[in-house]
Amino acid sequence: MESRFATTLLILPLILLSVACGRARSTPTSECIPPPVVWEFPVGATAVPDAIPREILPAGGWQIEANLPTSGIINSLVTRPSNELWIGTPYEVLRYHTDTHEWDEYTTIDGIQAVPRELCLASDGILWGMDIAAGGSDNLPWWSRYNEITDQFEFVGDNAGILHGPASTQSPTCDEDKDGLLWIILQDRSANNQTALYSFDPTTLQSTQHLIASMNSYFSDLAIAPDGMLWIADTSSQQLVVYNPASDEAHPYLGDLWTNDDLSSEGYRGLDNLFFDHQGRLWVQDRGWLDFTTPDQPVWHKIIRSPVFISDFVRLDNQHGWVRPFSTYQSSNGLFWFGSTAGMVRLDPENGEWCLFTTGSSPIAEDEEHNLWIALAGRLYGYPLEP
């Protein structure tokens, strides 16, 4: 008992110190940051102790590669062969050459002052732009792509005429299936702002609308399974929807009681962020994953929540709220990387170790030389993975 008490006395000052970091940006002495854990705070107060969120930059193996030419929101980050790193922002697209350390900036599409809202890299190496972030109008095509010869982005017309202009209030992401089709979820303004599932064929330049959410549903994310089935997160009804492109049929995933209980709990936080890992398991935020080793009876693995997702970047009356990650990525060495309002988190699935390594947030990507890249706080960071 005495040894436990002594350990508590040693840990408590460290915890209190971690909560009182203030606004000044700092770098932790170790790679992992202690979560802002406190044992009580006055709910509903006009101010709470240490209400200013921490701003801690990456440390450990993360190294500053370069200063960004611009500051602000980073919408997307993708790597291409030949040492290219592409970064999408609301006002320009940046390309960084990791071999020469030079930047290129793109602020137009076909000479028009506009930039794609998001970037999507296809398996054939073509860099696609989605939506229009700045300067767009309803008469402009929704798709664009980078032209290697002209070194410019160019509009790509949709032969079906379905997508044009800024078509969504939500930030689009794309998933590519084994046939090369690009799949996206958009909020369709022509259908009472309901969300819908679309595909785009880069060969025929044909867009197709496949599935419109019901009035009581809201599609928030999708992931493509190894067998080609599309899994969709319905954040309003708190359920998973399975869509079969071959039959053009969809049905809710019924699962077992454990799965349904986990997905429907904390409904106010929303159901989002689906991800298939290298083993073909479907991850749902940090709630757990579906194991399809037995395809007819997938097994739900529930994750015990980690305090690394306790955020101090929320309202004053709920400063230390428990948040869900909004993005998931798996690097080639099997580690998982999560983005959240609490910061960026690494998970080692072999031993279940969670590590909050920055309070900032960024998309993350791995290049062909197995370096990880993130962009935050006006800097570009690199992280070499061990072979």
Side-chain angles (χ1 to χ4, degrees), residues 291-336:
D291 188 339
F292 296 91
T293 303
T294 54
D296 295 335
Q297 292 183 324
V299 178
W300 174 251
H301 291 252
K302 180 180 175 64
I303 293 177
I304 299 174
R305 299 189 74 176
S306 169
V308 294
F309 291 112
I310 296 177
S311 173
D312 56 359
F313 195 71
V314 289
R315 302 187 314 271
L316 291 180
D317 61 346
N318 186 25
Q319 182 188 359
H320 302 289
W322 217 323
V323 299
R324 295 288 188 184
F326 51 70
S327 65
T328 305
Y329 183 84
Q330 187 178 22
S331 51
S332 59
N333 61 355
L335 297 179
F336 288 89

Side-chain angles (χ1 to χ4, degrees), residues 14-192:
L14 294 176
I15 294 177
L16 294 177
L17 179 62
S18 72
V19 177
C21 287
R23 179 172 291 277
R25 286 177 177 162
S26 62
T27 299
T29 55
S30 63
E31 185 174 2
C32 300
I33 307 167
V37 178
V38 295
W39 70 278
E40 63 82 25
F41 62 92
V43 176
T46 56
V48 295
D50 309 311
I52 299 177
R54 305 176 299 171
E55 295 185 30
I56 303 177
L57 302 178
W62 291 97
Q63 302 295 324
I64 298 176
E65 169 74 12
N67 291 322
L68 297 175
T70 184
S71 60
I73 298 174
I74 304 298
N75 290 335
S76 51
L77 189 155
V78 297
T79 61
R80 296 180 75 214
S82 303
N83 305 300
E84 290 185 3
L85 181 67
W86 290 80
I87 300 174
T89 79
Y91 303 104
E92 60 186 337
V93 174
L94 305 172
R95 177 171 59 175
Y96 180 71
H97 301 268
T98 59
D99 53 348
T100 63
H101 311 288
E102 295 177 338
W103 290 96
D104 298 320
E105 300 182 42
Y106 302 85
T107 58
T108 62
I109 306 177
D110 275 339
I112 298 176
Q113 198 72 26
V115 295
R117 189 174 182 184
E118 292 280 352
L119 300 176
C120 176
L121 183 65
S123 58
D124 59 4
I126 294 180
L127 182 65
W128 291 90
M130 300 181 294
D131 212 342
I132 303 170
S137 71
D138 290 346
N139 296 323
L140 295 177
W142 191 85
W143 289 97
S144 58
R145 66 185 168 198
Y146 173 70
N147 188 318
E148 297 273 2
I149 299 177
T150 63
D151 188 29
Q152 295 292 327
F153 281 87
E154 60 186 17
F155 286 113
V156 177
D158 170 18
N159 287 338
I162 295 177
L163 298 178
H164 52 84
S168 177
T169 58
Q170 65 186 101
S171 184
T173 58
C174 76
D175 286 78
E176 184 179 10
D177 66 15
K178 57 186 178 182
D179 296 323
L181 295 181
L182 304 180
W183 294 83
I184 54 176
I185 290 176
L186 294 176
Q187 189 170 352
D188 188 355
R189 294 176 302 179
S190 64
N192 299 319

Side-chain angles (χ1 to χ4, degrees), residues 360-382:
S361 186
S362 164
I364 185 169
E366 182 177 350
D367 64 21
E368 57 187 349
E369 297 179 355
H370 303 296
N371 298 302
L372 292 178
W373 298 93
I374 59 175
L376 52 85
R379 298 182 178 94
L380 178 66
Y381 288 85

